Amino acid sequence: SGVEGSSSPAVPERAIQRLNENIITAQAELEEIYRFLRSYGVPPGRTQASLHAFKSGVMSRLQYNPAARNTLSQALVSIFSDHGQDPVIRDYAVQHFASWYPDAPDKEVLETALWSALEETGGTIAGSALLGLMHLTGGWPEQIDLQEVERAALKMAGDERCGELSRITALQVCGRLTLKAALPLAERLAENATSVTLQTAAIATLADLGGQEAIPVLRGYAENDNPRLAMAGRTALERLERKENGRPIVQ
């Protein structure tokens, strides 16, 4: 069950049709599907974007098939672990770690892979893993420690060596978790981040973490000459208004 490197992978149409009808039972058919998911390249008649969506859909369908119960976790991890694989497909595999986790019989395999994926901060993978871990803390607090996830989010958001997309996701997670320890970092990035995209993410996080004291700061951004920062400031003010029990705060 190693990595398959076909440059023009054939789609196992019959096996996938049976999967879609939820009647697949043969391990040989599952292995055929797994080989396709692990394969490289774009089959004739498909675009790369459509292949991404198709493979993600197959990963989803496998989660509903009892025959895949004991093999799916390892199949998903093998896709993520293959650094020669399309990074978008690897990211989809990480996203499916979290969606499959509640039903997986081998949860520890997925936990290990999710924590490992946090190290891949150059693109989107670390952010996807962090989001997955955050969602799992709600239903599986004994297995996924909330404080560990908070520490990971705060570290990623503040690490200038991380890719911008990972840092933006980490800021969003800090906001969703109402992680007050991230407030000074969000204030600093809103003011001094080297990209407007990271600044706007930090401004949004101020609305999640701040209270009435954040209003003057957000008003300042809402009046910024940069239209993207101004929009972020106005949106953050509106969100903060809703959070503050609907009390009107925008003058």
Side-chain angles (χ1 to χ4, degrees), residues 34 55 86 116 134 179-180 184 194 209 225 247 251:
Y34 292 155
K55 283 190 172 183
D86 183 324
S116 173
M134 179 194 72
L179 185 56
K180 293 292 187 179
T194 54
L209 302 181
D225 291 337
R247 290 196 295 272
Q251 298 296 325

Side-chain angles (χ1 to χ4, degrees), residues 141 210 226:
N226 185 308

Side-chain angles (χ1 to χ4, degrees), residues 31 39 41 73 78 86 94 103 135 144 149 182 217 239-241:
E31 283 301 325
S39 65
S73 295
S78 74
D86 183 324
V94 171
D103 295 315
H135 289 306
I144 310 294
V149 175
V217 176
R239 288 174 54 218
L240 186 55
E241 179 179 3

Side-chain angles (χ1 to χ4, degrees), residues 13-211:
E13 300 283 0
R14 181 176 179 276
I16 289 175
Q17 179 60 37
R18 286 169 59 80
L19 174 67
N20 289 338
E21 295 170 358
N22 213 32
I23 57 176
I24 190 168
T25 56
Q27 195 62 34
E29 286 183 309
L30 282 173
E31 283 301 325
E32 190 179 6
I33 292 172
Y34 292 155
R35 281 194 297 273
F36 166 66
L37 291 175
R38 291 191 297 260
S39 65
Y40 303 160
V42 181
R46 288 193 180 272
T47 64
Q48 189 171 54
S50 71
L51 180 67
H52 291 161
F54 182 66
K55 283 190 172 183
S56 182
V58 171
M59 293 180 205
S60 293
R61 288 301 307 162
L62 284 164
Q63 295 173 41
Y64 296 97
N65 194 285
R69 175 175 170 79
N70 294 320
T71 55
L72 180 55
S73 295
Q74 290 289 356
L76 291 172
V77 171
S78 74
I79 294 168
F80 159 67
S81 300
D82 176 15
H83 289 263
Q85 180 61 263
D86 183 324
V88 175
I89 298 300
R90 293 184 67 226
D91 189 296
Y92 277 138
V94 171
Q95 293 176 41
H96 286 292
F97 292 165
S99 59
W100 169 232
Y101 183 91
D103 295 315
D106 46 0
K107 289 179 173 55
E108 67 283 352
V109 171
L110 299 173
E111 289 168 26
T112 299
L114 277 166
W115 289 110
S116 173
L118 289 180
E119 302 301 318
E120 299 210 18
T121 57
T124 59
I125 286 175
S128 292
L130 187 61
L131 282 171
L133 288 164
M134 179 194 72
H135 289 306
L136 291 174
T137 59
W140 308 91
E142 298 297 322
Q143 289 87 353
I144 310 294
D145 185 80
L146 175 60
Q147 289 185 329
E148 287 292 328
V149 175
E150 289 177 339
R151 281 193 286 270
L154 190 58
K155 177 184 175 183
M156 194 183 300
D159 190 346
E160 294 182 358
R161 297 167 298 179
C162 289
E164 183 173 273
L165 293 174
S166 291
R167 295 186 76 189
I168 288 170
T169 300
L171 280 169
Q172 293 169 343
V173 169
C174 288
R176 292 190 198 181
L177 294 175
T178 322
L179 185 56
K180 293 292 187 179
L183 185 56
L185 173 64
E187 291 172 340
R188 188 165 67 249
L189 290 175
E191 182 69 25
N192 299 320
T194 54
S195 82
V196 173
T197 305
L198 192 54
Q199 279 185 283
T200 58
I203 291 168
T205 303
L206 290 179
D208 293 320
L209 302 181

Side-chain angles (χ1 to χ4, degrees), residues 210-231:
Q212 291 286 325
E213 79 287 346
I215 294 168
V217 176
L218 292 178
R219 280 210 185 101
Y221 288 117
E223 297 167 2
N224 196 282
D225 291 337
N226 185 308
R228 289 178 62 190
L229 293 179
M231 176 61 73

